[in-house]
């Protein structure tokens, strides 16, 4: 017909997705997950219920979903938390934790991801992912710094604050 009932299926991902699951089962704490589909995805249909990433206890990693055309990217959040020993970085996936990635189909859940014309996910997709507790430097370049304050490095008062911006997360 007009294509509105055509469904959507996963066609690949950065974890080696196939109909049998993921060929990559071990991920980093800061590992983005990029899912590719057979059609463009309706961004309004992408939620933590339609793309589920959960531990056995039901905990989801902290992060955000981004939709662009036929791909959905989950980007883990990086937070600075205060501990008794000082600030610590916390990443989206908890260390040494197993997560199950599930994208339910229209028969398994009330809500599912859909195409721009409303076509639902046709087959449930699932795979198991182990967060190995490591952090990956995906660009594999050393950090660089840019001085934001002061704007000049001559004629500066001795009381001036110095503010640097780094291209990488820095272990304070």
């Amino acid at each position: 017909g007009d294509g509105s009932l055509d469904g959507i299926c996963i066609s690949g991902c950065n974890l080696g997705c196939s109909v049998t699951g993921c060929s990559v089962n071990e991920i980093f704490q800061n590992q983005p997950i990029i899912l590719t589909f057979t059609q463009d995805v309706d961004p309004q249909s992408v939620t933590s219920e339609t793309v589920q990433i959960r531990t056995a206890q039901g905990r989801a990693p902290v992060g955000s979903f981004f939709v662009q055309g036929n791909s959905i990217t989950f980007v883990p959040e990086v937070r600075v938390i205060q501990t008794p020993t000082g600030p610590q970085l916390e990443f989206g996936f908890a260390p040494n934790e197993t997560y199950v990635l599930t994208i339910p189909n229209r028969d398994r859940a009330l809500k599912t991801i859909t195409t721009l014309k409303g076509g639902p996910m046709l087959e449930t997709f699932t795979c198991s992912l182990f967060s190995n507790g490591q952090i990956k430097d995906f660009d594999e370049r050393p950090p660089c710094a840019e001085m934001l304050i002061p704007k000049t490095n001559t004629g500066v008062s001795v009381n001036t604050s110095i503010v640097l911006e780094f291209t990488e997360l820095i272990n304070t």
Side-chain angles (χ1 to χ4, degrees):
D2 65 356
S4 63
L5 297 179
D6 289 345
I8 191 169
C9 295
I10 193 162
S11 61
C13 74
N14 66 330
L15 303 172
C17 297
S18 70
V19 292
T20 59
C22 302
S23 62
V24 174
N25 298 106
E26 190 171 307
I27 60 172
F28 298 96
Q29 285 182 259
N30 61 331
Q31 175 84 45
I33 297 175
I34 303 167
L35 305 162
T36 307
F37 295 86
T38 54
Q39 295 188 50
D40 286 355
V41 176
D42 179 359
Q44 299 294 328
S45 72
V46 178
T47 68
S48 62
E49 293 306 311
T50 60
V51 180
Q52 302 168 7
I53 308 171
R54 305 272 192 283
T55 65
Q57 295 78 29
R59 288 190 307 274
V62 179
S64 300
F65 291 103
F66 298 94
V67 178
Q68 186 171 16
N70 70 334
S71 77
I72 299 172
T73 302
F74 175 77
V75 179
E77 187 175 314
V78 179
R79 295 180 176 175
V80 177
I81 57 169
Q82 294 299 325
T83 68
T85 59
Q88 299 288 322
L89 290 177
E90 181 178 86
F91 295 88
F93 291 100
N96 304 310
E97 188 73 68
T98 299
Y99 292 85
V100 175
L101 166 63
T102 304
I103 305 170
N105 72 355
R106 61 183 171 193
D107 298 329
R108 189 164 166 196
L110 294 175
K111 295 182 181 179
T112 186
I113 63 166
T114 61
T115 67
L116 293 172
K117 293 184 178 183
M121 184 76 173
L122 296 175
E123 297 292 328
T124 295
F125 175 81
T126 189
C127 68
S128 181
L129 305 168
F130 177 72
S131 173
N132 62 17
Q134 298 177 16
I135 307 304
K136 172 84 171 151
D137 180 5
F138 289 101
D139 70 5
E140 297 181 351
R141 292 184 290 185
C144 295
E146 178 183 351
M147 186 161 41
L148 299 179
I149 299 174
K151 292 289 184 190
T152 179
N153 53 3
T154 60
V156 178
S157 168
V158 293
N159 297 353
T160 301
S161 294
I162 297 173
V163 178
L164 301 175
E165 181 178 62
F166 291 89
T167 58
E168 305 275 339
L169 294 171
I170 304 297
N171 184 347
T172 57

